[in-house]
Amino acid sequence: MKRKLLYFILPIITLVLEILPYGAVCIFADGLNNIHRVTYSYFDLIPFGNANFAPLLTAIISCLVIIILIIHLFIDNHRIIMLVKTLLLVALILSLCPLLYGFDYYSLIGVLITLSIFAELLLLSFTTKNTNI
């Protein structure tokens, strides 16, 4: 039971980082030389509406991971861990998607979110029995 509770540390850190208003980046221009870089929470719909869809999807998957880990506290099934690993892999790929627009669309908080998702994936892979992902 204690080991299962350790699985919650990194997803909760990830969730807190996603709530902060410094993760998702939008760049607006109101003239030729007036460019504004504005940061938002991963849960904010403004980046999603401006074609930066990955932060919101990453945040939704992070919430799903926490919910499924709560279910795993009561039901010890290997399929649940495999589902969490798969969701974490999808979240990891989505958290890197803002780099497709360029490095200006990626923030330090975004890097920390990506690292915490990757660390949770590694933690689950090395502490569970079948590490096939």
Side-chain angles (χ1 to χ4, degrees):
M1 183 75 161
K2 289 182 182 181
R3 188 175 82 191
K4 288 182 183 181
L5 289 175
L6 290 176
Y7 294 152
F8 282 96
I9 294 171
L10 288 169
I12 289 173
I13 290 171
T14 304
L15 186 64
V16 169
L17 288 171
E18 290 170 344
I19 291 171
L20 294 175
Y22 308 110
V25 177
C26 284
I27 297 178
F28 301 108
D30 33 328
L32 293 176
N33 294 324
N34 296 332
I35 296 174
H36 301 283
R37 184 176 187 265
V38 184
T39 57
Y40 298 95
S41 167
Y42 266 47
F43 290 99
D44 203 334
L45 291 176
I46 293 174
F48 188 80
N50 288 303
N52 193 358
F53 62 90
L56 181 63
L57 296 178
T58 303
I60 291 170
I61 292 174
S62 296
C63 292
L64 283 174
V65 165
I66 291 174
I67 291 169
I68 294 171
L69 284 175
I70 290 171
I71 294 170
H72 181 61
L73 280 175
F74 303 107
I75 301 172
D76 194 18
N77 190 345
H78 178 67
R79 290 183 181 182
I80 293 174
I81 291 296
M82 291 303 295
L83 176 62
V84 171
K85 287 183 195 180
T86 305
L87 285 173
L88 285 170
L89 185 61
V90 171
L92 180 67
I93 293 168
L94 282 172
S95 70
L96 292 170
C97 280
L99 288 174
L100 295 173
Y101 297 119
F103 287 108
D104 291 337
Y105 285 87
Y106 208 57
S107 66
L108 177 61
I109 298 296
V111 171
L112 294 175
I113 290 168
T114 302
L115 290 176
S116 65
I117 291 171
F118 183 65
E120 177 69 14
L121 184 60
L122 287 178
L123 176 70
L124 284 174
S125 295
F126 288 127
T127 59
T128 56
K129 291 179 183 175
N130 292 329
T131 59
N132 300 332
I133 194 166

